[in-house]
Amino acid sequence: MKLFGIAGYSGSGKTSLIENTLPLLTAHGLRVSVLKHTHHDFDIDRPGKDSYRHRQAGAHEVLLAGSARWVLLKELRAAPEPTLSEYVARFAPCDLVLVEGFKKEAIPKLEVHRPVTGQPPLWPGDAQIVAVASDSPPPGNLRAGVAWLDVNDAPTIARYILARAMPLAMEID
């Protein structure tokens, strides 16, 4: 299982980039999973639902199962957050895991950077950033070896991810 990160500040377009490249990757027979990290408190469960009530009553884990999908909810209850490796270990076997977030992990990453967000780029301070997808031209001080890609060119981004993350690059039309 190969890991490839998609990093950037909130609102930069990480989710859209993944959404646009996923069909290109999976169209060639790759099994691709996505691990999204959030710093926000979130809950996919709703108050009043049975599973929510089970968690509130103290269940360590609740698995919601249906004919179309299932999800496992695990309460950390003040335990430390699992590491990236621990999260990835929970995935079924696949070819590639796109990791959204986890900016500080030591995995190859593509940064999504849009100057309009007002945030500084991450690539100058992160040697793990191997490419930047942006809607602006590359700066003159771009570190050697960092690819600069058009954030709106999903086929080129998908080709880059394959060439970087997979042992044998596949052609993307």
Side-chain angles (χ1 to χ4, degrees), residues 17 28 36 38 41 48 62 64 70 74 86 91 93 103 109 122 132 134 140 150 156 164:
L17 183 138
H28 290 272
K36 177 174 175 46
T38 181
D41 189 21
V62 175
L64 301 175
W70 65 270
K74 181 178 180 104
E86 291 168 330
F91 276 114
K103 286 188 264 200
K109 293 182 279 271
L122 298 170
V132 177
S134 183
D150 180 345
T156 297
R164 182 67 192 203

Side-chain angles (χ1 to χ4, degrees), residues 82-111:
T83 65
L84 176 61
S85 305
E86 291 168 330
Y87 282 130
V88 170
R90 299 188 74 81
F91 276 114
C94 64
D95 301 305
L96 176 64
V97 177
L98 295 177
V99 179
E100 182 179 341
F102 289 96
K103 286 188 264 200
K104 297 181 178 167
E105 290 292 330
I107 60 172
K109 293 182 279 271
L110 178 145
E111 175 185 359

Side-chain angles (χ1 to χ4, degrees), residues 118-153:
Q119 296 291 341
L122 298 170
W123 64 264
D126 186 346
Q128 298 298 323
I129 293 176
V130 295
V132 177
S134 183
D135 56 3
S136 67
N141 65 339
L142 185 64
R143 186 174 70 243
V146 175
W148 197 268
L149 307 169
D150 180 345
V151 73
N152 298 308
D153 186 353

